[in-house]
Amino acid sequence: QVQLVESGGGLVQAGDSLRLSCAASGGTISTYTMGWSRQAPGKEREFVAAITWSGTTTRYADSVKGRFTISRDNAKNTVYLQMNSLKPEDTAVYYCAADARGFSIEYYSAVYAYNYWGQGTQVTVSS
């Protein structure tokens, strides 16, 4: 069973960049689909990005496409979310997630698809 720990969140200004990291322990994520989701106060959790085990297939929510990039380094057992051109509406707790069942990438473009979740890291973007 895999444990996930997010890091890299913080307070930034609109237009700035952040890179979030998700470190896995207790097992390798080399064969896992990985994803990022976020939840703002008073709102439902929403899908942000997903990446297959090989890193060759990715999916993004329309709200972040062109600004965010998901990547992974299986040798380091880590997945990343590079966030550029941040906007105040990006303010949320960002959660890393993983799943080993190997369904289609479309299935993982939903927050309910993942078996394992981290505790989240806060990203706050000021205007």
Side-chain angles (χ1 to χ4, degrees):
Q1 189 164 335
V2 173
Q3 293 79 47
L4 306 173
V5 179
E6 303 94 335
S7 63
L11 174 63
V12 298
Q13 295 181 345
D16 285 352
S17 297
L18 279 175
R19 189 181 74 159
L20 306 183
S21 297
C22 174
S25 62
T28 179
I29 61 167
S30 62
T31 61
Y32 284 56
T33 300
M34 304 295 298
W36 288 94
S37 298
R38 65 188 183 185
Q39 187 167 22
K43 296 185 177 181
E44 296 182 353
R45 191 172 300 188
E46 64 175 343
F47 167 78
V48 173
I51 186 169
T52 57
W53 71 270
S54 66
T56 59
T57 304
T58 58
R59 292 289 185 273
Y60 297 93
D62 289 341
S63 59
V64 306
K65 190 176 298 182
R67 298 188 297 121
F68 291 9
T69 303
I70 187 171
S71 62
R72 65 192 299 161
D73 187 337
N74 288 339
K76 296 181 179 179
N77 224 28
T78 302
V79 63
Y80 306 96
L81 185 68
Q82 178 67 46
M83 305 186 295
N84 297 328
S85 302
L86 283 163
K87 305 174 181 179
E89 51 262 45
D90 295 318
T91 295
V93 177
Y94 283 72
Y95 297 92
C96 177
D99 192 84
R101 291 173 292 173
F103 298 145
S104 68
I105 193 67
E106 287 77 17
Y107 177 80
Y108 291 109
S109 299
V111 297
Y112 58 76
Y114 300 88
N115 280 343
Y116 304 105
W117 292 86
Q119 293 298 115
T121 185
Q122 177 71 48
V123 173
T124 302
V125 184
S126 66
S127 59

